[in-house]
Amino acid sequence: MLEARLSQSMVLKKVVDAIKDLVQDCNFDCNDSGIALQAMDNSHVALVSMLLKAESFEPYRCDRNIALGVNLVSLTKVLRALQNDDLVTLKADDAPDSLNITFESSTADRISEYDLKLMDIDQEHLGIPDTEYAATVTMPSTEFKRICTDLQAMSESVTIEATKDGIKFSCAGDIGNGAVTLRNYQNVEKEHLNVDIELTEPVSLTFSLKYLVNFCKAQPLSDRVKICLSNEVPLLVEYLITGTSYLRFYLAPKVRD
Amino acid sequence: ADFQLDLYNYFIKS
């Protein structure tokens, strides 16, 4: 059976909020190392990959592999009841029909208990290869969100170009063109503002802004975001959750016929 | 026209 108690319960709500507009039904795959999720949007353009490691929970117990087939719209309805400092506990049997979700107030004077019906979801697990990316950019997640949102007002697509001079986000739309360039930036006192660009070779790729803006719904999870690019390879956008738990998005580049 | 790589095919081949 599964029993997992999360003191940073808002993490769960933020993860679900970040992915529910991209994927609707998905399996939360539980095993002794933690809870993982992998789901692709209907158009096969974006892939979500999440791992909440066992050490993010206290206690965490899962004796065998359990797949929790969850409708995220339904889970969102349950998570509405979650309050800021609540502890959340997930419980399920080995072959579960439902997921038991408990919210406890930090003062332990209120316990809310929900059973969420589960579904059978036939999802193929895809192998995501370890990739040596040509460019890796770590930057403030709010900055990335602002750039994507601002450029989306002008165009459907953005070209991301990483060179030794920096990383350039540019778009061309009906009303004109726009571009934002970021350079390496180190702030010793406010490290969360740093822009770190690691480059082995120049990269230029074009992506749909609709999807990037969607990924930015994960911004509340972390003040930093990592963007990894290689020519002709899906873009990786990563938000670290707690410790080494993560939420990753992969996005197919646009290629000219 | 722009063509978007199918991630399913990409990852399944990997």
Side-chain angles (χ1 to χ4, degrees), chain A residues 60-83:
Chain A
Y60 184 86
R61 184 184 151 206
C62 187
D63 317 327
R64 57 184 73 185
N65 293 358
I66 302 174
L68 306 172
V70 171
N71 174 277
L72 292 181
V73 174
S74 306
L75 179 58
T76 301
K77 289 178 182 172
V78 172
L79 292 176
R80 283 168 65 116
L82 176 66
Q83 297 188 33

Side-chain angles (χ1 to χ4, degrees), chain A residues 40 44-45 47 124 126-127 234 250 252-256, chain B:
Chain A
M40 194 171 281
H44 289 186
V45 171
L47 176 80
E124 205 165 350
L126 301 174
Y250 294 86
K254 289 188 169 190
V255 284
R256 289 270 173 210
Chain B
D2 281 334
F3 163 77
Q4 226 141 10
L5 187 78
D6 185 321
L7 280 193
Y8 183 82
N9 291 334
Y10 177 82
F11 285 124
I12 215 83
K13 282 178 195 159
S14 309

Side-chain angles (χ1 to χ4, degrees), chain A residues 132-149:
Chain A
E132 292 285 332
Y133 289 96
T136 301
V137 182
T138 314
M139 61 189 282
S141 59
T142 47
E143 183 99 73
F144 181 59
K145 183 179 179 176
R146 191 164 47 231
I147 292 170
C148 293
T149 313

